[in-house]
Every structure is written in structure tokens, then in C-alpha cells.
Amino acid sequence: VGTWPPVLTLFERGLKKGFGEDGMLLDGTQMKIDKIYPLDAMFSNPSEVPEEIKTNKRYAGIEGYDIASCAAKVKADYGKV
């Protein structure tokens, strides 16, 4: 799953704790999420990320959230996008 970087920690916490009823699928099974990737779809590649975003406290410590970088991480983890 790709999620907006400023809410990444919320999703990671949810993944660790479980999503309870919110993660329940129609067939009654629990949704399984292997990994959460930071993704800001406003930026196609790292060169498009403005300095004010890079230095924004909500993006602190997060890298590779542009589309190209996120796709490369998914490919490295799963072999394809």
C-alpha cells in the first residue's frame, strides 16, 4: 500500500496493531497488508520535490516518496510493479 508521507506513521501503527473491523473483507477474512510505502503522487521523480516539502516537518526522515522511487522499492521487494 502506498500512503501519503505525513500519515505514514499512523498507517504503520495500524499495521502493527491490526485494523480490526476496518480491515475485514466482505468474505469475512482480515485484509493482509505486507508493507506500507510512502508515496506522494504529486511528484513523478525526486527532482520534482520542492525544497519546502523536503524540509517540511511532516516529511522529516522520509525519503523516496516520489512515484519513481516508490515503484523502484516495490520492484525491489516483489520483482515487479
Side-chain angles (χ1 to χ4, degrees):
V1 171
T3 191
W4 190 44
V7 297
L8 179 64
T9 55
L10 293 173
F11 273 84
E12 288 174 334
R13 249 185 271 141
L15 185 61
K16 287 178 185 172
K17 290 181 179 181
F19 293 104
E21 296 253 340
D22 292 334
M24 196 67 64
L25 299 174
L26 292 176
D27 67 1
T29 61
Q30 189 69 26
M31 177 175 48
K32 178 159 174 29
I33 299 173
D34 291 327
K35 191 167 184 178
I36 299 173
Y37 296 90
L39 174 63
D40 192 326
M42 291 292 296
F43 312 111
S44 296
N45 59 63
S47 68
E48 292 182 355
V49 181
E51 195 60 35
E52 65 264 16
I53 296 293
K54 292 177 186 176
T55 58
N56 185 299
K57 68 180 182 179
R58 298 188 308 170
Y59 286 76
I62 303 172
E63 294 180 353
Y65 46 82
D66 60 277
I67 294 171
S69 298
C70 184
K73 290 177 190 176
V74 172
K75 185 176 181 181
D77 290 344
Y78 296 99
K80 61 181 177 177
V81 177

